mmCIF file of all heavy atoms in Angstrom:
data_model
loop_
_atom_site.group_PDB
_atom_site.id
_atom_site.type_symbol
_atom_site.label_atom_id
_atom_site.label_comp_id
_atom_site.label_asym_id
_atom_site.label_seq_id
_atom_site.Cartn_x
_atom_site.Cartn_y
_atom_site.Cartn_z
ATOM 1 N N ASN A 311 166.366 74.829 67.767
ATOM 2 C CA ASN A 311 166.464 76.076 67.015
ATOM 3 C C ASN A 311 167.913 76.488 66.758
ATOM 4 O O ASN A 311 168.213 77.063 65.706
ATOM 5 C CB ASN A 311 165.695 77.193 67.725
ATOM 6 C CG ASN A 311 164.222 77.146 67.389
ATOM 7 O OD1 ASN A 311 163.503 76.245 67.834
ATOM 8 N ND2 ASN A 311 163.768 78.069 66.563
ATOM 9 N N ALA A 312 168.818 76.155 67.706
ATOM 10 C CA ALA A 312 170.243 76.445 67.453
ATOM 11 C C ALA A 312 170.747 75.583 66.300
ATOM 12 O O ALA A 312 171.645 75.983 65.557
ATOM 13 C CB ALA A 312 171.063 76.163 68.709
ATOM 14 N N ALA A 313 170.131 74.403 66.142
ATOM 15 C CA ALA A 313 170.545 73.500 65.059
ATOM 16 C C ALA A 313 170.267 74.096 63.676
ATOM 17 O O ALA A 313 170.890 73.692 62.697
ATOM 18 C CB ALA A 313 169.843 72.154 65.205
ATOM 19 N N ILE A 314 169.334 75.058 63.618
ATOM 20 C CA ILE A 314 169.039 75.679 62.308
ATOM 21 C C ILE A 314 170.299 76.372 61.780
ATOM 22 O O ILE A 314 170.751 76.103 60.671
ATOM 23 C CB ILE A 314 167.877 76.710 62.422
ATOM 24 C CG1 ILE A 314 166.587 75.999 62.842
ATOM 25 C CG2 ILE A 314 167.693 77.449 61.109
ATOM 26 C CD1 ILE A 314 165.418 76.952 63.096
ATOM 27 N N GLY A 315 170.869 77.257 62.621
ATOM 28 C CA GLY A 315 172.099 77.952 62.215
ATOM 29 C C GLY A 315 173.213 76.952 61.961
ATOM 30 O O GLY A 315 173.950 77.059 60.976
ATOM 31 N N GLY A 316 173.321 75.963 62.871
ATOM 32 C CA GLY A 316 174.354 74.942 62.715
ATOM 33 C C GLY A 316 174.224 74.203 61.396
ATOM 34 O O GLY A 316 175.212 73.970 60.702
ATOM 35 N N ALA A 317 172.983 73.864 61.030
ATOM 36 C CA ALA A 317 172.770 73.087 59.802
ATOM 37 C C ALA A 317 173.039 73.908 58.551
ATOM 38 O O ALA A 317 173.382 73.348 57.510
ATOM 39 C CB ALA A 317 171.334 72.562 59.787
ATOM 40 N N ILE A 318 172.882 75.229 58.675
ATOM 41 C CA ILE A 318 173.117 76.063 57.488
ATOM 42 C C ILE A 318 174.625 76.227 57.231
ATOM 43 O O ILE A 318 175.039 76.456 56.089
ATOM 44 C CB ILE A 318 172.418 77.439 57.636
ATOM 45 C CG1 ILE A 318 170.898 77.238 57.753
ATOM 46 C CG2 ILE A 318 172.689 78.331 56.433
ATOM 47 C CD1 ILE A 318 170.116 78.508 58.041
ATOM 48 N N ILE A 319 175.443 76.063 58.291
ATOM 49 C CA ILE A 319 176.897 76.267 58.127
ATOM 50 C C ILE A 319 177.478 75.356 57.034
ATOM 51 O O ILE A 319 178.042 75.849 56.051
ATOM 52 C CB ILE A 319 177.637 76.072 59.472
ATOM 53 C CG1 ILE A 319 177.214 77.157 60.463
ATOM 54 C CG2 ILE A 319 179.158 76.100 59.270
ATOM 55 C CD1 ILE A 319 177.694 76.929 61.899
ATOM 56 N N PRO A 320 177.330 74.002 57.147
ATOM 57 C CA PRO A 320 177.897 73.169 56.071
ATOM 58 C C PRO A 320 177.144 73.325 54.756
ATOM 59 O O PRO A 320 177.716 73.107 53.685
ATOM 60 C CB PRO A 320 177.764 71.742 56.616
ATOM 61 C CG PRO A 320 176.667 71.798 57.602
ATOM 62 C CD PRO A 320 176.719 73.174 58.195
ATOM 63 N N THR A 321 175.871 73.725 54.854
ATOM 64 C CA THR A 321 175.095 73.897 53.614
ATOM 65 C C THR A 321 175.711 75.017 52.774
ATOM 66 O O THR A 321 175.893 74.868 51.563
ATOM 67 C CB THR A 321 173.621 74.260 53.944
ATOM 68 O OG1 THR A 321 173.146 73.350 54.928
ATOM 69 C CG2 THR A 321 172.746 74.193 52.720
ATOM 70 N N LEU A 322 176.038 76.130 53.428
ATOM 71 C CA LEU A 322 176.576 77.265 52.688
ATOM 72 C C LEU A 322 178.052 77.077 52.333
ATOM 73 O O LEU A 322 178.475 77.388 51.232
ATOM 74 C CB LEU A 322 176.413 78.556 53.493
ATOM 75 C CG LEU A 322 175.004 79.120 53.638
ATOM 76 C CD1 LEU A 322 175.050 80.464 54.348
ATOM 77 C CD2 LEU A 322 174.312 79.269 52.294
ATOM 78 N N SER A 323 178.823 76.559 53.291
ATOM 79 C CA SER A 323 180.272 76.537 53.061
ATOM 80 C C SER A 323 180.726 75.331 52.257
ATOM 81 O O SER A 323 181.716 75.406 51.536
ATOM 82 C CB SER A 323 181.015 76.598 54.397
ATOM 83 O OG SER A 323 180.539 75.583 55.241
ATOM 84 N N LEU A 324 180.016 74.190 52.386
ATOM 85 C CA LEU A 324 180.473 72.975 51.713
ATOM 86 C C LEU A 324 179.444 72.409 50.744
ATOM 87 O O LEU A 324 179.715 71.419 50.060
ATOM 88 C CB LEU A 324 180.798 71.892 52.761
ATOM 89 C CG LEU A 324 181.782 72.280 53.865
ATOM 90 C CD1 LEU A 324 181.763 71.249 54.977
ATOM 91 C CD2 LEU A 324 183.183 72.402 53.297
ATOM 92 N N ALA A 325 178.268 73.009 50.699
ATOM 93 C CA ALA A 325 177.152 72.489 49.890
ATOM 94 C C ALA A 325 176.715 71.113 50.385
ATOM 95 O O ALA A 325 176.209 70.301 49.623
ATOM 96 C CB ALA A 325 177.490 72.436 48.410
ATOM 97 N N ILE A 326 176.939 70.847 51.674
ATOM 98 C CA ILE A 326 176.511 69.581 52.282
ATOM 99 C C ILE A 326 175.477 69.944 53.346
ATOM 100 O O ILE A 326 175.827 70.529 54.372
ATOM 101 C CB ILE A 326 177.703 68.847 52.962
ATOM 102 C CG1 ILE A 326 178.880 68.688 52.014
ATOM 103 C CG2 ILE A 326 177.249 67.524 53.564
ATOM 104 C CD1 ILE A 326 178.746 67.617 50.992
ATOM 105 N N PRO A 327 174.196 69.633 53.135
ATOM 106 C CA PRO A 327 173.186 70.070 54.103
ATOM 107 C C PRO A 327 173.316 69.406 55.465
ATOM 108 O O PRO A 327 173.636 68.221 55.563
ATOM 109 C CB PRO A 327 171.860 69.685 53.440
ATOM 110 C CG PRO A 327 172.191 68.799 52.321
ATOM 111 C CD PRO A 327 173.632 68.902 52.001
ATOM 112 N N GLY A 328 173.060 70.203 56.507
ATOM 113 C CA GLY A 328 173.195 69.687 57.864
ATOM 114 C C GLY A 328 171.935 69.025 58.394
ATOM 115 O O GLY A 328 171.974 68.365 59.422
ATOM 116 N N SER A 329 170.794 69.213 57.713
ATOM 117 C CA SER A 329 169.546 68.622 58.217
ATOM 118 C C SER A 329 168.598 68.437 57.037
ATOM 119 O O SER A 329 168.812 69.032 55.969
ATOM 120 C CB SER A 329 168.916 69.560 59.242
ATOM 121 O OG SER A 329 168.530 70.755 58.607
ATOM 122 N N PRO A 330 167.533 67.642 57.215
ATOM 123 C CA PRO A 330 166.585 67.492 56.103
ATOM 124 C C PRO A 330 166.019 68.829 55.594
ATOM 125 O O PRO A 330 165.992 69.046 54.376
ATOM 126 C CB PRO A 330 165.499 66.585 56.679
ATOM 127 C CG PRO A 330 166.215 65.774 57.711
ATOM 128 C CD PRO A 330 167.236 66.694 58.314
ATOM 129 N N PRO A 331 165.603 69.761 56.489
ATOM 130 C CA PRO A 331 165.111 71.028 55.931
ATOM 131 C C PRO A 331 166.182 71.787 55.140
ATOM 132 O O PRO A 331 165.875 72.414 54.120
ATOM 133 C CB PRO A 331 164.695 71.836 57.172
ATOM 134 C CG PRO A 331 164.433 70.823 58.214
ATOM 135 C CD PRO A 331 165.396 69.720 57.963
ATOM 136 N N THR A 332 167.455 71.708 55.595
ATOM 137 C CA THR A 332 168.482 72.435 54.832
ATOM 138 C C THR A 332 168.812 71.710 53.525
ATOM 139 O O THR A 332 169.321 72.334 52.598
ATOM 140 C CB THR A 332 169.774 72.670 55.644
ATOM 141 O OG1 THR A 332 170.189 71.442 56.218
ATOM 142 C CG2 THR A 332 169.606 73.719 56.701
ATOM 143 N N ALA A 333 168.506 70.404 53.453
ATOM 144 C CA ALA A 333 168.677 69.697 52.174
ATOM 145 C C ALA A 333 167.730 70.314 51.151
ATOM 146 O O ALA A 333 168.104 70.568 50.000
ATOM 147 C CB ALA A 333 168.392 68.207 52.342
ATOM 148 N N VAL A 334 166.512 70.596 51.604
ATOM 149 C CA VAL A 334 165.538 71.218 50.708
ATOM 150 C C VAL A 334 165.956 72.662 50.422
ATOM 151 O O VAL A 334 165.853 73.146 49.291
ATOM 152 C CB VAL A 334 164.124 71.172 51.329
ATOM 153 C CG1 VAL A 334 163.102 71.703 50.357
ATOM 154 C CG2 VAL A 334 163.765 69.752 51.722
ATOM 155 N N LEU A 335 166.459 73.329 51.469
ATOM 156 C CA LEU A 335 166.921 74.715 51.314
ATOM 157 C C LEU A 335 168.062 74.787 50.290
ATOM 158 O O LEU A 335 168.133 75.720 49.487
ATOM 159 C CB LEU A 335 167.393 75.243 52.671
ATOM 160 C CG LEU A 335 167.435 76.743 52.843
ATOM 161 C CD1 LEU A 335 166.041 77.346 52.798
ATOM 162 C CD2 LEU A 335 168.080 77.098 54.181
ATOM 163 N N LEU A 336 168.939 73.783 50.318
ATOM 164 C CA LEU A 336 170.038 73.728 49.356
ATOM 165 C C LEU A 336 169.480 73.649 47.936
ATOM 166 O O LEU A 336 169.954 74.345 47.025
ATOM 167 C CB LEU A 336 170.939 72.514 49.652
ATOM 168 C CG LEU A 336 172.078 72.244 48.674
ATOM 169 C CD1 LEU A 336 173.085 73.377 48.669
ATOM 170 C CD2 LEU A 336 172.797 70.940 49.019
ATOM 171 N N GLY A 337 168.445 72.808 47.780
ATOM 172 C CA GLY A 337 167.794 72.707 46.475
ATOM 173 C C GLY A 337 167.230 74.050 46.055
ATOM 174 O O GLY A 337 167.359 74.457 44.901
ATOM 175 N N ALA A 338 166.620 74.762 47.016
ATOM 176 C CA ALA A 338 166.033 76.073 46.719
ATOM 177 C C ALA A 338 167.118 77.068 46.307
ATOM 178 O O ALA A 338 166.944 77.850 45.369
ATOM 179 C CB ALA A 338 165.287 76.591 47.935
ATOM 180 N N LEU A 339 168.263 77.026 46.997
ATOM 181 C CA LEU A 339 169.368 77.935 46.659
ATOM 182 C C LEU A 339 169.833 77.678 45.230
ATOM 183 O O LEU A 339 170.041 78.612 44.447
ATOM 184 C CB LEU A 339 170.539 77.731 47.631
ATOM 185 C CG LEU A 339 170.328 78.197 49.072
ATOM 186 C CD1 LEU A 339 171.476 77.740 49.963
ATOM 187 C CD2 LEU A 339 170.218 79.714 49.130
ATOM 188 N N LEU A 340 169.994 76.395 44.894
ATOM 189 C CA LEU A 340 170.452 76.044 43.549
ATOM 190 C C LEU A 340 169.453 76.518 42.495
ATOM 191 O O LEU A 340 169.844 77.020 41.440
ATOM 192 C CB LEU A 340 170.662 74.529 43.434
ATOM 193 C CG LEU A 340 171.794 73.956 44.299
ATOM 194 C CD1 LEU A 340 171.755 72.431 44.305
ATOM 195 C CD2 LEU A 340 173.158 74.439 43.813
#
Side-chain angles (χ1 to χ4, degrees):
Chain A
N311 277 71
I314 297 175
I318 298 174
I319 295 170
T321 312
L322 288 185
S323 53
L324 306 167
I326 308 283
S329 65
T332 50
V334 185
L335 201 66
L336 175 64
L339 290 171
L340 294 170

